[in-house]
Amino acid sequence: MKTLQRTLAIIKPDAVAKNATGDIVSIILQNNFHIVGMKMLQLTQEQAEGFYAVHAGKGFFHSLCKFSRADQWWCWHSKRT
C-alpha cells in the first residue's frame, strides 16, 4: 500500500509581488503533488496578528504584520501517493 502524503503550501506576499507563484506551483507539480484545493487570501490585520502571534511583543511584530497584508497569499492543499 502506498503512503499518501499531504501538505499545505503558502506563498506569501513577497513571492506574489515578485511574480514567483507560477514557478512555485510548477515545482510542486513537477514533484508529483496534485493540488486538491487552492485559495487566494488577503489577510486582515486581525488575521495577520493571529498568524504571527508567536512574535507578538517583539520589535519586528508590527512590520511583519504590515508585510503580510501587502499583497495576497496563495494557499493550497496538495497530495501525492
Side-chain angles (χ1 to χ4, degrees):
M1 175 185 247
K2 291 185 177 183
T3 302
L4 178 65
Q5 294 179 309
R6 296 176 186 263
T7 189
L8 169 68
I10 300 172
I11 303 176
K12 294 183 183 178
D14 54 338
V16 173
K18 293 176 185 174
N19 294 315
T21 52
D23 292 336
I24 294 168
V25 170
S26 291
I27 291 167
I28 296 293
L29 297 175
Q30 289 168 6
N31 283 280
N32 299 316
F33 280 91
H34 302 280
I35 296 174
V36 176
M38 180 181 279
K39 187 172 187 174
M40 293 169 40
L41 304 171
Q42 184 76 41
L43 295 186
T44 65
Q45 183 68 29
E46 183 177 90
Q47 289 170 323
E49 290 173 357
F51 188 80
Y52 290 114
V54 68
H55 301 298
K58 297 179 183 171
F60 59 87
F61 179 70
H62 293 293
S63 63
L64 183 60
C65 291
K66 183 178 178 181
F67 150 80
S68 71
R69 299 187 65 227
D71 207 333
Q72 293 181 331
W73 291 43
W74 286 34
C75 307
W76 67 86
H77 166 222
S78 54
K79 67 178 183 176
R80 77 175 168 189
T81 53

